[in-house]
Amino acid sequence: MSSPSQLHPALAQVRQLGLITDDELDDAIAELDIIELQRSHNEEEDIDVPELAADAGLVDTLAWLLLTDLLPQHGFLQRVRDLPRQHDGAALLERQQLAADALRQVNRQAIDTLYDEDLIDQWQRDAAHASLPADRLLASPVAALCDMLRQGTLSAPQFEALRLRARQRGSELAVIIVDAAARQTRRELPAHARPGTWVKAALILLVLAFAASAMISKQVPTPAAATAEQGAERHDLQQRAAQAVESARLPGAGPDLSVTVEQDGAAPPAR
């Protein structure tokens, strides 16, 4: 195995803490070698991969490993959950704090990308920063945007507005992010809450309501006042169905499809 201390002391220390394996350490060293080789052959060109500064501390080093996927998220999180079985006291706290800080740093970068691409404003960015998860990884700006929707930091109407803005004048990256977030959000909704399902339910509701109203009007003698009341009910049903269809267009929206048909004042059927 290569000697990590000759290349990056922080990598060696992260390994000593048990937060990465020997194989992950070797992969990280190989990645640093590749970056250095690319730089030596293309001194005037930017390296299109995240780089690890020579003086990076433990948090920055662990965040770099997560950001480059040299440290797989699932394996790392399971390792962190297993820490109490192996350590306690100050040793446990040190490792847990380091892991949490690294996760927050990577998640913060995903949020900052949304701000840099003009998808969220400064207030939304600060609110997202304040609620960054420390127990899971927002591996991309797409995941960060979906997390903001789940937490309510970004409302469904706000998401639709930024999606429209991105399509009108946003960068190519901004359009990719919002479209991917929209697809992921739809997949995460339960079947009964998906937009297409709500639209169908609203239309079926409208048809059934008119059918029920027609059947009642044939069976029951209807005074003039009752006729006016039923007309008002039909107008209300139309409005509620239209609202249901409109609400279905927004991610996470759940329109109220409940209907109560009352026949107050109607004469009972003749026996």
Side-chain angles (χ1 to χ4, degrees):
M1 185 179 69
S2 304
S3 174
S5 60
Q6 295 177 1
L7 294 174
H8 206 293
L11 279 174
Q13 192 170 351
V14 170
R15 175 65 190 99
Q16 290 171 1
L17 291 171
L19 294 175
I20 62 174
T21 65
D22 287 340
D23 288 341
E24 291 163 351
L25 176 60
D26 283 342
D27 289 343
I29 292 173
E31 181 72 12
L32 291 176
D33 285 340
I34 293 171
I35 293 174
E36 185 61 29
L37 185 63
Q38 289 178 333
R39 184 170 295 284
S40 65
H41 287 287
N42 304 281
E43 294 182 357
E44 297 180 357
E45 296 182 9
D46 293 332
I47 304 300
D48 192 23
V49 292
E51 295 190 61
L52 181 63
D55 59 347
L58 295 180
V59 173
D60 290 337
T61 300
L62 196 54
W64 175 76
L65 289 166
L66 289 166
L67 187 62
T68 56
D69 205 31
L70 290 165
L71 179 54
Q73 175 185 174
H74 295 297
F76 173 68
L77 294 178
Q78 184 58 53
R79 203 170 300 156
V80 172
R81 286 191 289 268
D82 290 341
L83 284 175
R85 302 178 185 176
Q86 306 167 16
H87 308 280
D88 56 14
L92 174 61
L93 182 60
E94 176 189 13
R95 289 164 173 79
Q96 289 177 328
Q97 189 63 53
L98 175 58
D101 289 345
L103 282 169
R104 287 194 188 95
Q105 182 164 312
V106 177
N107 292 343
R108 186 183 183 94
Q109 291 180 25
I111 296 294
D112 288 344
T113 299
L114 298 177
Y115 177 75
D116 294 340
E117 292 298 323
D118 196 30
L119 292 174
I120 59 175
D121 57 33
Q122 184 176 352
W123 183 89
Q124 291 166 333
R125 181 199 63 184
D126 293 345
H129 282 170
S131 58
L132 286 174
D135 59 348
R136 56 191 172 86
L137 184 66
L138 303 179
S140 68
V142 174
L145 194 56
C146 291
D147 191 69
M148 291 179 68
L149 277 166
R150 283 191 295 268
Q151 293 194 28
T153 308
L154 189 70
S155 68
Q158 287 173 330
F159 176 78
E160 288 300 321
L162 72 84
R163 189 180 183 187
L164 178 61
R165 186 172 68 248
R167 288 182 170 180
Q168 289 177 341
R169 59 177 186 272
S171 67
E172 183 179 358
L173 176 58
V175 175
I176 291 173
I177 290 172
V178 295
D179 285 348
R183 288 193 297 271
Q184 183 170 328
T185 300
R186 285 196 296 269
R187 286 196 299 268
E188 290 176 353
L189 287 173
H192 66 274
R194 289 173 188 161
T197 305
W198 283 113
V199 171
K200 292 176 183 177
L203 293 176
I204 291 173
L205 169 69
L206 186 59
V207 172
L208 291 176
F210 275 114
S213 178
M215 291 178 63
I216 293 172
S217 63
K218 289 180 179 179
Q219 296 176 2
V220 180
T222 307
T227 301
E229 183 179 347
Q230 289 178 358
E233 287 176 355
R234 284 194 294 271
H235 178 68
D236 179 63
L237 287 171
Q238 289 174 328
Q239 286 186 326
R240 294 173 68 179
Q243 289 171 358
V245 173
E246 181 62 26
S247 299
R249 298 174 182 172
L250 300 178
D256 179 13
L257 298 183
S258 60
V259 174
T260 302
V261 179
E262 296 182 357
Q263 296 296 324
D264 293 340
R271 295 185 180 273

